[in-house]
Amino acid sequence: MADTLNINEVREACSSDELSHVFTFLESQDMTEDEGFLIRMGDESTKLRAKLDKRNDTIDEAWSFGPDNEVAKAGEHCLVESQVRDRRRLDLIAQLLLLTREGIEEKKAHIEKIKAIQTQKRVRRCPDPEYARKMIVDIDVVRVRGDSVGGIVTCIV
């Protein structure tokens, strides 16, 4: 999702007025974007590693011309500077990948939290809304007969 949608736009996009669906949809969209980012940055990291390895070989080759070759020495110096910069870039990509993975786990936890809140809001705390309705009907039928659906718990210590 290129733009962050407001709640009404998300309600329309996910065809639901229920806020839990809206926020779950938003978090899921963010996770999908983050997973795509991980793939792209993983590819960039792989390319940069290959470039660093190749440049190491080139630096070794430049060094083989000896300390008296001024052009080789200057070229080696330039390559080493580029190598240092690209190693820093690789470290930053690694940090971005870590942060993004943490963000994905955080979003998964957010979705679970929203689901838990929805479950707690339902009568009988049943995670499935259809079964929650059936449970309510069954409990009412038994209650009208003057009975209960309760149980007996025996605790032996």
Side-chain angles (χ1 to χ4, degrees):
M1 202 180 301
D3 297 322
T4 301
L5 301 176
N6 66 35
I7 291 176
N8 288 329
E9 291 170 326
V10 176
R11 281 180 170 158
E12 210 173 290
C14 70
S15 302
S16 177
D17 284 332
E18 196 170 323
L19 277 178
S20 65
H21 294 158
V22 169
F23 288 114
T24 299
F25 181 85
L26 282 171
E27 290 295 290
S28 297
Q29 287 296 107
D30 279 351
M31 279 181 16
T32 300
E33 288 178 11
D34 288 350
E35 288 164 351
F37 181 79
L38 281 178
I39 291 167
R40 289 189 309 278
M41 286 295 102
D43 291 346
E44 285 301 314
S45 176
T46 300
K47 288 178 196 173
L48 190 52
R49 282 180 200 279
K51 183 178 178 180
L52 287 166
D53 289 344
K54 182 71 174 165
R55 192 182 290 131
N56 269 339
D57 295 340
T58 307
I59 290 169
D60 290 344
E61 189 178 354
W63 191 80
S64 72
F65 287 101
D68 296 330
N69 188 320
E70 292 299 317
V71 173
K73 221 161 99 175
E76 178 188 7
H77 179 75
C78 294
L79 291 172
V80 168
E81 281 184 2
S82 294
Q83 194 75 336
V84 168
R85 184 198 64 246
D86 283 346
R87 284 193 191 283
R88 287 179 37 218
R89 283 178 53 207
L90 188 61
D91 289 343
L92 287 172
I93 290 172
Q95 289 175 23
L96 277 172
L97 291 171
L98 179 63
L99 259 172
T100 303
R101 285 187 193 100
E102 289 172 356
I104 288 171
E105 291 306 312
E106 197 174 81
K107 287 173 179 85
K108 286 178 183 177
H110 293 164
I111 290 171
E112 289 306 311
K113 181 179 182 178
I114 291 167
K115 285 180 182 177
I117 290 168
Q118 275 306 104
T119 299
Q120 291 297 318
K121 282 178 56 180
R122 290 190 193 107
V123 176
R124 304 294 130 222
R125 291 182 165 72
C126 178
D128 186 315
E130 184 58 35
Y131 280 106
R133 282 188 280 282
K134 289 178 182 178
M135 289 168 67
I136 291 167
V137 170
D138 290 347
I139 291 168
D140 285 343
V141 167
V142 173
R143 187 174 40 81
V144 167
R145 290 191 315 225
D147 202 351
S148 76
V149 292
I152 298 172
V153 177
T154 304
C155 182
I156 302 173
V157 182

